Amino acid sequence: MKTVLFWTSGILGGAIAGLAATVILVAFPLRPTMQKGPWSANARVGSAAADPYLRAAVAVIGLFALHSKESIYYQAATDESGRGLRAGCEYSIAGGPLPAQWWSLTVYGSDNFLIPNRARRYSLSNRTITYRPNGDFKAVMGPRSRASNWLPTGDEEQAVLLVLRMYRPESKYVRDLSAVSLPQIRRITCSEGGASAEQSQVAGR
Amino acid sequence: MSTGTKNVWTWCTVCLGTGILVHILALYSMPWMIMQYALHKIRAGVPNTPVVNDMIHYGVRTPADRDVVRPSPDLLYSICMYDLSNGDLLISGNTPKQTYQSIALYGSNTDNYFVLSNQDIAGDNYSVRVTIRERAGATDGATAPHNAVSPTKTGIVLVRTLLANEADYESIAAVQKTGACRIASADGL
């Protein structure tokens, strides 16, 4: 009886520790190979160069990702100040033309799925966004409806994630993901209070 | 060394060894298991269709779609689960004009080992032959403009077709639905 207990406890303890280590190590956000402001990306996503941890993490949060020659996936979970993106807040997303055949900005809920909203709009892309005369764009992400360039975050308060997909990026950016001029994400206002100075600027556009 | 100390060391060794083994097994099998689970959910939404070597076409992804995380709402997806046990796979379809389309192949470990996009395609249709390492180089009479060697016997074909504007849905979906996959027959494509 003692021997059975001895071996069973050793094997069971090891198995639990092994599984726990796997979950903990894979649950960490994708270890980026590039971080620029709030945006991060990993050049090895989807490729044979991915290590087992990255491969497992991609399977959990980005199954069927393409390798970076075909598509670069940038993600932002915070604004420029490092504050977590919230569905109840409004953010301006401002940038210039991005070097890809097409690109899109998509917002996801904390469960990594699209967020239900009355406008049934889940993304903005270079084909749907309205550019300013100088070629730049400014969009607003938040719960309140806007006439154009609006990325809705729905009615439910939750952490949100912004994903920028750049399909068929120019090759020099595949080699250096941080060379891309990425859109800036600035908080305009928050339902929890604390409107920023930028609110008046965006409201006038 | 006393018997008690010896037992403690033995227990720790068993525990550590099992832990490392389970960790490695879980780590390497996780992508495969997650992919199988996602495909099971995808297939559950399209009953009465062959499980493998058949292309299934999907409409615009919405919040109601909960099978694969972080879907792109701008793309129309077509999926073919393949099994190369009985021959090479032939993938074919029409390419839409002036919009992005890609044909991506994934091994069962989720690695994206091949991509063909509309910028690589001459003409208005695509054709890809997928084989396995053991058969690479051998032919059964069938040829295709593009060839890929799958690292695993089973895998996934994922065709992405960009729907830039909702107004174009009918025409883009019609092109998307020309996509097909099947096992090559001995008499060619």
Side-chain angles (χ1 to χ4, degrees):
Chain A
M1 185 66 187
K2 247 184 177 178
T3 312
V4 173
L5 256 178
F6 176 84
W7 288 103
T8 307
S9 63
I11 291 168
L12 205 62
I16 291 168
L19 279 176
T22 310
V23 170
I24 290 166
L25 288 168
V26 172
F28 273 112
L30 281 178
R31 286 151 295 147
T33 56
M34 167 264 159
Q35 181 81 47
K36 189 176 183 182
W39 297 101
S40 65
N42 191 312
R44 291 193 294 271
V45 164
S47 77
D51 62 49
Y53 293 96
L54 178 62
R55 197 171 278 134
V58 169
V60 173
I61 63 163
L63 191 62
F64 304 131
L66 289 160
H67 63 63
S68 55
K69 277 184 195 165
E70 187 64 24
S71 179
I72 303 174
Y73 302 91
Y74 295 97
Q75 63 175 41
T78 68
D79 62 11
E80 298 294 328
S81 308
R83 292 173 296 200
L85 299 178
R86 305 292 311 173
C89 302
E90 281 194 316
Y91 302 89
S92 79
I93 305 167
L98 292 159
Q101 185 184 346
W102 78 274
W103 57 264
S104 70
L105 281 163
T106 310
V107 61
Y108 296 98
S110 54
D111 57 2
N112 284 311
F113 288 105
L114 299 170
I115 302 171
N117 65 82
R118 280 184 286 276
R120 293 192 297 175
R121 185 183 301 163
Y122 316 104
S123 70
L124 292 169
S125 77
N126 59 337
R127 308 284 181 94
T128 57
I129 208 160
T130 304
Y131 290 94
R132 295 149 89 179
N134 66 357
D136 291 348
F137 68 86
K138 191 152 197 169
V140 173
M141 179 174 80
R144 281 198 301 135
S145 171
R146 301 280 181 148
S148 70
N149 289 356
W150 175 46
L151 198 48
T153 51
D155 300 326
E156 185 192 338
E157 175 53 16
Q158 59 177 324
V160 296
L161 180 80
L162 198 55
V163 172
L164 168 62
R165 291 175 167 87
M166 280 177 42
Y167 280 78
R168 276 289 165 139
E170 291 176 18
S171 54
K172 68 175 177 178
Y173 298 105
V174 175
R175 291 189 296 272
D176 182 6
L177 306 188
S178 62
V180 177
S181 288
L182 294 162
Q184 295 203 314
I185 307 166
R186 291 208 162 85
R187 186 191 281 192
I188 303 166
T189 187
C190 223
S191 58
E192 297 155 353
S196 79
E198 200 185 357
Q199 185 171 9
S200 56
Q201 290 179 23
V202 174
R205 295 188 198 288
Chain B
M1 194 183 286
S2 70
T3 309
T5 312
K6 215 182 215 175
N7 283 345
V8 170
W9 276 110
T10 306
W11 191 90
C12 287
T13 307
V14 168
C15 195
L16 189 67
T18 309
I20 291 169
L21 192 70
V22 167
H23 176 60
I24 291 170
L25 279 174
L27 192 62
Y28 279 88
S29 60
M30 188 182 281
W32 183 85
M33 286 195 296
I34 291 171
M35 185 188 255
Q36 294 306 313
Y37 178 66
L39 292 172
H40 170 74
K41 282 170 71 175
I42 289 168
R43 284 284 168 181
V46 194
N48 306 319
T49 55
V51 175
V52 292
N53 304 326
D54 185 47
M55 189 83 83
I56 303 295
H57 307 285
Y58 295 89
V60 178
R61 308 304 280 176
T62 70
D65 296 304
R66 318 286 292 178
D67 37 28
V68 179
V69 294
R70 298 189 190 179
S72 170
D74 305 303
L75 295 167
L76 300 180
Y77 293 98
S78 302
I79 294 180
C80 169
M81 295 164 62
Y82 67 75
D83 183 345
L84 305 174
S85 299
N86 296 320
D88 294 353
L89 185 78
L90 297 174
I91 313 160
S92 60
N94 292 344
T95 307
K97 290 181 177 67
Q98 296 177 336
T99 194
Y100 174 86
Q101 185 183 55
S102 66
I103 299 95
L105 306 183
Y106 298 83
S108 60
N109 62 353
T110 72
D111 277 356
N112 172 212
Y113 67 91
F114 177 91
V115 185
L116 180 73
S117 77
N118 57 327
Q119 288 185 341
D120 310 315
I121 299 167
D124 55 4
N125 56 66
Y126 62 87
S127 180
V128 182
R129 183 188 180 95
V130 188
T131 190
I132 47 175
R133 282 199 187 104
E134 295 76 23
R135 288 201 297 264
T139 60
D140 58 5
T143 57
H146 300 278
N147 294 281
V149 180
S150 176
T152 50
K153 201 178 277 183
T154 58
I156 301 293
V157 179
L158 189 55
V159 180
R160 295 168 164 89
T161 308
L162 174 62
L163 178 66
N165 294 298
E166 278 181 45
D168 299 331
Y169 178 78
E170 294 300 328
S171 61
I172 296 293
V175 175
Q176 175 207 16
K177 286 171 184 166
T178 61
C181 69
R182 63 178 174 82
I183 292 299
S185 57
D187 56 347
L189 286 171

